[in-house]
């Protein structure tokens, strides 16, 4: 795991390139505190900060091939690097390291070109420079696990693992893009290639960007495809197949030269990962979780029982509402995007504890709900799609099972729910049927902006312009939207990778193995009718987990929302949400924002709706980002400043730059 940054520049004085790339890397030092390095060549620079996980001694970056022609900066892990290395060696590719996966990526690129990315089972962002042609190639993994952003700065091209690196480039300035903010508020995340900031993009998942002779070419190297052949076998055989596929995935992700821990939420997915880790890890498995003071959010009892059942060394980190509000600005600084929940802050604090415990790498259950149709959204989509085929009694029964954790889905609200679901049984937004009910909250949040615009326009264009999307079944469209929006845009980034890497912890997700995703697609809805979430997955591991883990309904991970700020009133709140500050964020409707803040701060918690709660958090995170990025140019809040790069790396850098000079 690492962070990378670089640029192609015609305006920067050659004598300043080393200083600028060093400053860019310093701004993302938290991603890789073990060492750093950079490479300079004819108006370009690229470098890495490294978190050493695999080949601790031999994996230093940037790395070149033996000829010195190709250079790579790599962020992530390739879990099947051992098998790929063996194949490349048979093809005659020379290796200088013992087992660095970075060198495998470089040699695979030299051997197969951009086709190599389809062969990687991993989470990665990569930059490769061809010193002979001057070409630069950027690529990102198929599920968007690792981030990679790029921007134009007065004709210069910048790229980095985190946008805050750009503030070190002379003349670069952050500014909100109101259109992108509207889309983010409505869809809960930026679109796959967007960010909230004007002129800053992210490389879409599963894509490769080539810059050659000043021209850019962006193309996908792999598309999402859920239309796989159904599993041709009995349910018992399907269960055996799933167990083996997941076992292999966990085994691959335990490949590491350091100890690997597990995030244990107490639910099905993390319990499965933990169970497999206890069978495969050479260490006594250590598990970690958050324990909320507010019992309505707390699952520590479930976590403790699973840990005891599986025999792990478990630690629960206590989290209060005051903890969330105190660390909120720093966590937002690392997230870099407005968000609708506070759930990323406890994960930010959890990763700090994990790193303090000496763990650099962690496994988690992310991706299981998307692959195995675990969200109530999927069952809701099936229900709405079949609404007119069901009797009134069948509708009531299915509604009662959708959200057992939510009070407003109880029997007392059945009449209202029947009317609501009848209303949404017909598609209104072309291609977005599965998410239309969710997106109503986002439509309300878009009222934060002074300019009224259709917040779904760009999302509608995205799905309409995606080959094959209009003809997908409703369930596949729902999966596609989750894999393209909430999963990479929030769960894997704000709440996942960003929260973990803020404290130099790498997060690995066994359910995001391509083989697991294909296996899930082959059995989904084949052995049940979609009324019980992840039914076959529960059957596959029922004998090895506590009974209630596979029998209870899904309990979504949640954290205190706007009520936490109302109760604790942190010092920064009055400043950020003052009339003066709100008016200073030019794209906001300050009057609407003021009314919302007053409602949140003066009303009883039960009178604050979900859409109001989410919109308040969007407003607050936007205000924090405005202060940190737009006004502050990307300045780190207290406690989040980047440390200086270490001396050993500086010496290595000078040698690398010297070698480049000698090769010309």
């Amino acid at each position: 795991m690492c962070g990378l940054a670089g640029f192609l520049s015609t305006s920067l004085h050659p004598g300043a390139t080393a200083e600028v790339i060093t400053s860019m890397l310093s701004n993302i030092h938290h991603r890789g505190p073990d060492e750093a390095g950079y490479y300079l060549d004819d108006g370009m620079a690229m470098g890495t900060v490294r978190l050493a996980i695999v080949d601790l001694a031999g994996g230093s970056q940037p790395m070149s091939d033996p000829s010195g022609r190709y250079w790579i900066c790599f962020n992530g892990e390739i879990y099947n690097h051992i098998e790929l290395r063996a194949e490349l060696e048979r093809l005659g590719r020379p290796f200088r390291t013992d087992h660095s996966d970075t060198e495998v990526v470089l040699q695979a690129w030299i051997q197969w070109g951009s086709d190599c990315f389809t062969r990687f089972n991993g989470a990665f962002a990569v930059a490769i420079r061809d010193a002979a042609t001057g070409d630069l190639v950027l690529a990102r993994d198929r599920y968007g696990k690792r981030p990679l952003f790029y921007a134009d700065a007065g004709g210069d091209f910048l790229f980095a693992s985190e946008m805050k690196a750009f503030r070190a480039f002379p003349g670069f300035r952050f500014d909100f893009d109101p259109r992108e903010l509207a889309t983010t508020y409505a869809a809960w995340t930026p679109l796959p290639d967007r960010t909230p900031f004007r002129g800053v993009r992210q490389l879409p998942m599963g894509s490769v960007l080539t810059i050659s002779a000043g021209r850019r070419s962006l193309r996908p190297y792999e598309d999402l495809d859920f239309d796989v052949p159904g599993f041709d076998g009995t349910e018992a055989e399907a269960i055996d197949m799933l167990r083996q596929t997941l076992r292999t995935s966990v085994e691959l992700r335990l490949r590491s030269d350091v100890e690997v821990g597990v995030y244990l939420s107490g639910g099905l997915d993390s319990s499965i990962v933990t169970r497999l880790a206890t069978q495969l890890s050479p260490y006594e498995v250590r598990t970690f979780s958050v324990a909320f003071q507010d019992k309505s959010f707390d699952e520590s009892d479930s976590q403790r029982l699973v840990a005891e059942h599986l025999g792990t060394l478990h630690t629960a980190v206590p989290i209060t509402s005051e903890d969330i509000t105190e660390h909120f600005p720093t966590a937002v600084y690392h997230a870099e995007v407005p968000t609708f929940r506070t759930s990323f802050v406890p994960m930010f604090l959890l990763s700090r504890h994990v790193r303090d415990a000496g763990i650099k790498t962690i496994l988690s259950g992310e991706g299981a709900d998307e692959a195995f149709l675990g969200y109530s959204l999927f069952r809701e989509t099936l229900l709405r799609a079949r609404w007119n085929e069901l009797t009134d009694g069948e509708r009531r029964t299915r509604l009662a099972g959708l959200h057992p954790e939510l009070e407003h889905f109880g029997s007392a609200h059945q009449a209202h729910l029947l009317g609501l679901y009848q209303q949404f049984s017909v598609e209104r937004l072309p291609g977005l049927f599965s998410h239309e009910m969710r997106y109503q909250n986002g439509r309300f949040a878009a009222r934060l902006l002074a300019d009224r615009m259709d917040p779904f326009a760009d999302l509608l264009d995205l799905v309409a312009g995606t080959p094959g999307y209009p003809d997908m079944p409703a369930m596949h469209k729902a999966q596609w939207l989750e894999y393209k929006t909430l999963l990479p845009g929030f769960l894997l980034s704000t709440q996942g990778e960003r929260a973990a890497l803020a404290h130099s912890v790498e997060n690995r997700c066994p359910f995001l193995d391509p083989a697991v995703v294909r296996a899930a697609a082959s059995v989904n809805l084949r052995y049940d009718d979609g009324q019980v979430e992840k039914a076959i997955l529960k059957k596959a591991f029922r004998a090895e987990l506590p009974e209630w883990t596979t029998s209870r309904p899904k309990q979504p991970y949640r954290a205190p929302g706007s009520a936490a700020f109302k109760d604790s009133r942190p010092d920064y709140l009055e400043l950020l949400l003052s009339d003066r500050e709100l008016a200073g964020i030019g794209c906001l409707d300050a009057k609407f924002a003021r009314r919302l803040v007053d409602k949140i701060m003066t009303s009883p918690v039960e009178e604050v709706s979900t859409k109001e709660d989410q919109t308040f958090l969007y407003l607050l995170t936007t205000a924090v980002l405005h202060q940190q990025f737009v006004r502050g140019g990307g300045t780190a809040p207290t406690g989040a400043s980047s440390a200086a790069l270490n001396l050993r790396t500086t010496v290595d850098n000078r040698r690398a730059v010297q070698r480049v000079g000698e090769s010309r």
Side-chain angles (χ1 to χ4, degrees), residues 38-262:
Y38 59 74
Y39 163 78
L40 308 177
D41 182 24
D42 294 333
M44 76 85 60
M46 66 180 190
T48 60
V49 288
R50 185 185 179 214
L51 181 64
I53 303 291
V54 173
D55 199 354
L56 306 185
S60 296
Q61 298 186 48
M63 182 183 291
S64 73
D65 73 316
S67 73
R69 173 177 174 176
Y70 300 100
W71 288 79
I72 184 172
C73 289
F74 175 66
N75 165 31
E77 303 289 345
I78 304 300
Y79 306 122
N80 61 334
H81 68 94
I82 294 175
E83 293 78 7
L84 287 172
R85 177 184 286 253
E87 183 178 358
L88 288 163
E89 286 177 335
R90 288 194 296 271
L91 293 171
R93 299 308 315 171
F95 284 86
R96 295 187 290 183
T97 65
D98 292 333
H99 57 281
S100 167
D101 59 342
T102 301
E103 189 175 22
V104 169
V105 174
L106 182 58
Q107 291 293 347
W109 164 259
I110 296 170
Q111 180 68 36
W112 296 308
S114 60
D115 289 343
C116 72
F117 300 122
T118 63
R119 297 170 178 259
F120 297 157
N121 181 353
F124 62 86
V126 61
I128 298 174
R129 169 75 165 184
D130 184 337
T133 64
D135 293 354
L136 176 68
V137 173
L138 306 178
R140 192 174 176 209
D141 66 79
R142 54 172 60 81
Y143 300 123
K145 189 73 172 66
R146 304 299 175 219
L148 189 54
F149 300 93
Y150 62 95
D152 290 300
D156 296 332
F157 178 80
L158 318 180
F159 60 94
S161 295
E162 296 185 15
M163 291 180 278
K164 59 181 65 69
F166 298 154
R167 72 181 175 94
F169 195 86
F172 183 85
R173 296 290 182 270
F174 285 101
D175 190 21
F176 283 133
D177 186 325
R179 185 183 180 101
E180 300 303 343
L181 283 177
T183 302
T184 299
Y185 295 163
W188 290 7
T189 75
L191 295 187
D193 63 337
R194 312 291 180 83
T195 77
F197 299 109
R198 198 181 308 276
V200 182
R201 296 277 181 154
Q202 58 180 321
L203 192 65
M205 55 195 282
S207 295
V208 57
L209 174 65
T210 302
I211 302 176
S212 179
R215 294 187 175 184
R216 300 181 199 173
S217 172
L218 175 64
R219 68 172 184 84
Y221 64 80
E222 186 161 307
D223 294 320
L224 291 173
D225 183 11
F226 307 111
D227 188 20
V228 303
F231 182 77
D232 186 18
T234 66
E235 182 180 88
E237 290 170 335
I239 285 173
D240 287 341
M241 179 271 293
L242 287 178
R243 287 175 55 84
Q244 184 55 51
T245 304
L246 275 165
R247 180 183 178 88
T248 299
S249 177
V250 171
E251 187 172 27
L252 286 173
R253 283 156 182 78
L254 287 172
R255 288 178 171 176
S256 171
D257 292 337
V258 298
E259 182 181 356
V260 179
V262 183

Side-chain angles (χ1 to χ4, degrees), residues 356-521:
D356 289 344
I359 297 290
K360 285 184 177 183
T361 306
I362 206 85
L363 302 182
S364 80
E366 290 293 2
D369 288 310
E370 292 76 11
F372 287 93
L373 309 181
Y375 292 129
S376 56
L377 176 141
F378 295 120
R379 287 177 290 126
E380 187 178 75
T381 298
L382 282 177
L383 171 59
R384 290 167 50 222
R386 299 172 181 172
W387 188 260
N388 293 323
E389 304 170 10
L390 303 175
T391 66
D392 190 62
E394 290 171 328
R395 293 170 180 171
R396 291 176 181 273
T397 298
R398 295 201 178 192
L399 278 174
L402 273 181
H403 294 282
E405 78 282 1
L406 298 179
E407 182 179 345
H408 61 273
F409 267 76
S411 57
H413 303 276
Q414 282 276 309
H416 168 73
L417 290 171
L418 284 168
L420 179 65
Y421 277 75
Q422 177 68 46
Q423 184 181 356
F424 282 95
S425 63
V426 177
E427 184 173 78
R428 300 176 172 192
L429 296 171
L432 304 182
F433 174 76
S434 60
H435 286 60
E436 284 181 333
M437 294 185 69
R438 174 194 290 181
Y439 286 161
Q440 296 313 300
N441 290 345
R443 192 181 293 279
F444 178 82
R447 294 174 61 188
L448 283 171
L449 298 168
D451 293 334
R452 294 291 185 255
M453 62 192 84
D454 182 358
F456 299 108
D458 289 343
L459 182 56
L460 288 168
D461 287 344
L462 174 65
V463 298
T466 297
Y469 182 89
D471 298 324
M472 290 182 188
M475 191 64 78
H476 287 171
K477 288 180 180 177
Q479 279 187 285
W480 190 95
L481 285 167
E482 287 296 287
Y483 272 99
K484 287 288 187 178
T485 58
L486 189 64
L487 180 64
F490 180 77
L491 297 175
L492 297 180
S493 54
T494 299
Q495 187 173 286
E497 203 250 18
R498 294 307 192 83
L501 261 296
H503 299 291
S504 310
V505 174
E506 177 192 81
N507 190 317
R508 299 180 174 184
C509 305
F511 283 99
L512 287 177
D513 189 298
V516 173
V517 175
R518 287 193 299 270

Side-chain angles (χ1 to χ4, degrees), residues 70 72 120 160 187 207 254 261 268 280 287 313 348 354 359 365 564 640 652:
Y70 300 100
I72 184 172
F120 297 157
S207 295
L254 287 172
L268 176 68
L280 298 167
T287 52
L313 297 173
F348 169 84
V354 167
I359 297 290
D652 288 345

